[in-house]
Amino acid sequence: MSTLAQKRGIGAIIWDYLTTVDHKKIAHLYFFAGLLHFVIAGLQALFIRIQLMYPENDFLVGTDFNEALTAHGTAMLFFVAMPLIFAFANAVVPLQIGARDVAFPFLNSLGFWLYFFGALFFNLGWFLGGMPAAGWTNYASLAMADPTHGVDFYLIGLQISGFGTLISAINFLATIITMRTAGMTYMRMPMFTWTIFVSSALILFAFPPLTVAIFLMTFDRLFGSKFFDIALGGNTIIWEHLFWIFGHPEVYILVLPAFGIFSEVITTFSRKRIFGYNSMVFAVALIGFLGFMVWAHHMFTVGMGPVANSIFAVATMTIGVPTGIKVFNWLFTMWGGNINYKTPMLYAVWFVPTFVMGGVTGVMLASAAADYQFHDSYFVVAHFHYIIVGGIVLGLFAGMHFWWPKMFGKMMNDTLGKITFWIFYIGFHLTFFIQHFLGLWGMPRRVFTYLPNQGWDTANFVSSIGAFMMAIAVVLLVVNMIMSFFSKEEVGPDPWGDGRSLEWMVASPPPEYNFKQLPLVRSLDPAWYEKMNGNKEMVPAEPLGDIHMPNSSILPFIMSVGLFIAGLGVTYHDLGTNTTALAVAIIGGLITFGAMFIRSIKDDHGYHIHKEDLEREGGLKA
């Protein structure tokens, strides 16, 4: 908390977070925004499972079901997983590489607010009479036929949010390339930093195709162009190609940081260096590279022909090789280790068999001939959730428990954390394992009801019970977080006692400048190396001196608000006939470009924390 917030209370705290460019506070913003959307999207999933709990149920039918299905998928991928990963990246990566902040603090703030207002724009449909109902993939044949503005909320919301994601990825690439401290070579970077690096590179190349696809469909729906109008020479399959050229790397954009989290957790609680570090780095890079070569395995049934299908099938199966390398490296890291089964380690240990199960069904789906049978069945739903929930969500939950004391200076209750894990884990398998069989028994995905006595009744009931267990676990997780804030017990720099990377050598939570003196890295696990050599602190790589810090700014917030307003105007402009909406679009654009102009002409040199302040006992607090 800043000294301003300490003196002026809640209003100053709110202003502090609205204007902050500190990567640690931006991590808090990403974290709680992502958690909010996780609860919303989780409720939507619960409504879906309540509807499917019994045959011919009428709890949520027709368009309402399709809207909930679309909102759940879109939110979980774009508004939950991405921001939570950016939360951990902001909280941890600058500390792990020995930097005082990210390369572009202003852009870091802008990236968050663009995400926030993009997600808000998407959810406006609940209040303005039209949520998208074309599925999270928004296939053109369905989306172009939607008479409401629901699809427009999807398109413009994702466009605004996507700009924020792209900005953040470029920022992390620049940070990791240019701001590593002395001795922090690429091959000494922690695995989590490596996964954020590769994931950011994937974003850099994967998001432009999505941006293009969204622009084309926006122009079709709002400006009368015909890119996807078959009658006038358009092609709806082009949307599928553009979407999946983004969509399949997106899976690796999300799952690679989860791999990084598990790598950090497993080494810490096994009290061992990661087994085969070089091969792990190579595997991460290879997964990222191959991830761009497999997008059409989502399209085996559209008629690409046997040659194209075979090429993409082989490429898809190839990804199993580097993924298998990582699994064996995690197992060999734990082998012979002095394992400490704290809550984060529970998530990591049980993630391994869960993710392997998801990988095996992935290889099954990679066979084009088999995919003809599995396609659009609940088998695909089961596989997808074994990767997304069994990989990414378990990773995010592990990261929440693991870095919570570093982010907030408090420990979560370990016993409650373990109870939460078992309820969630059992509920997850109850929900999705049986869906493999539902798919094999012929149940199609994206249906809101089914007839009784087809052999699906009991399986759907069991699946829905599992969903309720996961919901209970999420409630317990939130309760644990709230309880930790009321705990009076403060934690030290290394609350787990076995931290291996640089973030465990600074205070919890870290001061605003991170390091009084940038550290000198002398080993792959620098914190562990110094502790084993009897040092309580890192050897400094520079003398103590003044620290330059960036000023806070409200401009990122204003720029994002401007785009939000402009998006509203564009949605309702009706080819220029709605002059009020057109005026709103222009005003929003002027707000954004006005803020950009002010940023361009304003000399903002930041401020300095002076050496004398740093020398005072205890230094400065964040």
Side-chain angles (χ1 to χ4, degrees):
M1 189 189 303
S2 69
T3 51
L4 180 70
Q6 289 173 5
K7 291 176 183 175
R8 298 190 187 174
I10 191 68
I13 294 174
I14 292 171
W15 178 255
D16 193 27
Y17 274 92
L18 285 177
T19 60
T20 187
V21 296
D22 181 353
H23 71 95
K24 297 174 290 295
K25 290 176 182 172
I26 291 170
H28 297 169
L29 291 170
Y30 270 119
F31 185 84
F32 290 112
L35 207 59
L36 172 65
H37 283 283
F38 184 69
V39 171
I40 294 169
L43 286 173
Q44 291 157 358
L46 207 56
F47 294 157
I48 291 166
R49 286 312 320 166
I50 291 172
Q51 167 60 24
L52 293 171
M53 198 167 186
Y54 302 102
E56 297 185 311
N57 203 356
D58 60 358
F59 176 78
L60 191 71
V61 300
T63 302
D64 292 338
F65 181 90
N66 291 338
E67 288 178 352
L69 192 74
T70 303
H72 165 72
T74 307
M76 281 295 188
L77 268 294
F78 294 102
F79 308 142
V80 176
M82 281 303 313
L84 287 176
I85 284 167
F86 277 139
F88 295 134
N90 269 291
V92 175
V93 167
L95 295 172
Q96 286 194 335
I97 63 171
R100 292 206 168 94
D101 209 318
V102 294
F104 305 109
F106 182 92
L107 288 184
N108 201 18
S109 175
L110 179 61
F112 168 76
W113 289 114
L114 286 171
Y115 146 73
F116 180 84
F117 282 103
L120 184 63
F121 193 94
F122 172 83
N123 284 291
L124 278 182
W126 295 117
F127 309 100
L128 298 180
M131 278 299 284
W136 79 274
T137 55
N138 202 49
Y139 281 174
S141 50
L142 292 172
M144 295 307 299
D146 192 329
T148 73
H149 277 297
V151 170
D152 305 323
F153 288 123
Y154 172 100
L155 293 169
I156 296 174
L158 286 196
Q159 197 72 291
I160 295 171
S161 178
F163 286 146
T165 303
L166 197 54
I167 286 171
S168 298
I170 294 168
N171 204 352
F172 279 112
L173 284 172
T175 301
I176 294 169
I177 291 170
T178 66
M179 297 187 69
R180 287 169 288 116
T181 190
M184 180 60 74
T185 63
Y186 281 108
M187 296 312 289
R188 283 180 178 172
M189 292 196 312
M191 281 310 304
F192 180 70
T193 296
W194 258 114
T195 56
I196 291 296
F197 183 64
V198 174
S199 185
S200 298
L202 293 180
I203 290 171
L204 185 63
F205 292 103
F207 266 73
L210 179 68
T211 303
V212 169
I214 289 175
F215 264 121
L216 295 181
M217 189 174 286
T218 303
F219 271 77
D220 266 21
R221 285 185 54 88
L222 299 178
F223 298 98
S225 60
K226 304 296 179 186
F227 294 109
F228 302 113
D229 189 333
I230 297 172
L232 294 173
N235 188 340
T236 57
I237 300 299
I238 294 298
W239 169 272
E240 293 191 37
H241 279 290
L242 289 170
F243 183 87
W244 287 116
I245 288 172
F246 146 80
H248 198 81
E250 170 71 0
V251 174
Y252 299 109
I253 287 166
L254 299 175
V255 84
L256 285 177
F259 289 171
I261 293 170
F262 287 125
S263 298
E264 301 293 328
V265 169
I266 288 170
T267 54
T268 298
F269 293 104
S270 298
R271 298 184 176 96
K272 276 180 66 182
R273 175 172 290 189
I274 191 82
F275 180 90
Y277 173 85
N278 289 1
S279 64
M280 285 284 272
V281 171
F282 176 75
V284 168
L286 190 58
I287 289 170
F289 177 73
L290 292 174
F292 277 101
M293 302 168 66
V294 299
W295 79 87
H297 70 211
H298 296 271
M299 301 168 60
F300 281 150
T301 61
V302 304
M304 294 184 299
V307 174
N309 282 1
S310 299
I311 291 170
F312 282 103
V314 172
T316 303
M317 293 180 189
T318 306
I319 290 187
V321 176
T323 308
I325 290 171
K326 298 180 73 63
V327 169
F328 281 107
N329 283 3
W330 289 320
L331 292 174
F332 288 139
T333 302
M334 288 185 274
W335 183 268
N338 185 8
I339 296 178
N340 183 10
Y341 279 108
K342 296 291 187 182
T343 302
M345 190 61 171
L346 269 183
Y347 281 100
V349 169
W350 288 99
F351 147 80
V352 175
T354 306
F355 192 78
V356 168
M357 290 169 68
V360 167
T361 55
V363 174
M364 294 168 70
L365 287 164
S367 170
D371 187 78
Y372 264 77
Q373 304 302 317
F374 300 136
H375 203 83
D376 271 341
S377 76
Y378 256 77
F379 189 89
V380 178
V381 177
H383 158 73
F384 184 72
H385 283 86
Y386 261 76
I387 299 299
I388 300 298
V389 183
I392 298 165
V393 174
L394 289 183
L396 293 172
F397 283 5
M400 286 178 194
H401 287 86
F402 186 53
W403 283 312
W404 183 268
K406 183 54 58 180
M407 292 174 70
F408 300 103
K410 306 277 189 176
M411 290 292 281
M412 280 202 271
N413 185 285
D414 193 57
T415 303
L416 184 55
K418 289 176 179 176
I419 293 169
T420 301
F421 164 77
W422 284 115
I423 294 173
F424 186 87
Y425 190 74
I426 294 168
F428 159 73
H429 282 290
L430 272 181
T431 304
F432 297 112
F433 184 72
I434 204 161
Q435 288 182 7
H436 293 100
F437 298 97
L438 274 171
L440 295 175
W441 295 335
M443 182 168 174
R445 65 194 295 197
R446 304 191 188 97
V447 292
F448 66 84
T449 191
Y450 53 94
L451 294 173
N453 303 318
Q454 297 185 87
W456 305 342
D457 304 16
T458 304
N460 272 303
F461 183 82
V462 169
S463 186
S464 296
I465 294 298
F468 277 103
M469 290 182 67
M470 287 196 287
I472 292 168
V474 173
V475 171
L476 290 177
L477 176 64
V478 172
V479 167
N480 203 347
M481 291 175 178
I482 294 170
M483 284 171 52
S484 77
F485 283 122
F486 290 98
S487 169
K488 294 181 180 179
E489 186 180 349
E490 304 273 338
V491 299
D494 186 9
W496 301 113
D498 298 299
R500 307 184 75 87
S501 44
L502 283 177
E503 76 266 30
W504 305 113
M505 295 296 275
V506 298
S508 302
E512 61 178 316
Y513 46 81
N514 291 353
F515 301 94
K516 284 185 186 179
Q517 297 163 275
L518 295 182
L520 176 66
V521 171
R522 301 192 286 176
S523 175
L524 172 60
D525 293 326
W528 184 264
Y529 178 85
E530 298 300 337
K531 285 186 286 188
M532 291 301 101
N533 282 280
N535 299 325
K536 292 184 178 180
E537 295 183 350
M538 295 297 299
V539 176
E542 61 176 6
L544 186 65
D546 292 355
I547 297 175
H548 177 262
M549 301 294 292
N551 283 324
S552 298
S553 175
I554 194 65
L555 291 178
F557 181 84
I558 294 172
M559 289 179 195
S560 304
V561 169
L563 279 182
F564 178 85
I565 294 169
L568 270 178
V570 169
T571 300
Y572 289 98
H573 83 292
D574 295 332
L575 292 176
T577 57
N578 187 335
T579 53
T580 304
L582 198 59
V584 168
I586 293 170
I587 290 168
L590 289 174
I591 290 172
T592 297
F593 285 107
M596 292 169 69
F597 179 73
I598 291 170
R599 171 69 179 171
S600 299
I601 64 170
K602 181 182 176 183
D603 286 331
D604 186 355
H605 300 299
Y607 66 97
H608 283 86
I609 297 173
H610 297 293
K611 177 181 175 181
E612 294 75 26
D613 295 323
L614 296 170
E615 287 174 336
R616 272 186 285 170
E617 186 178 356
L620 293 179
K621 298 295 182 185

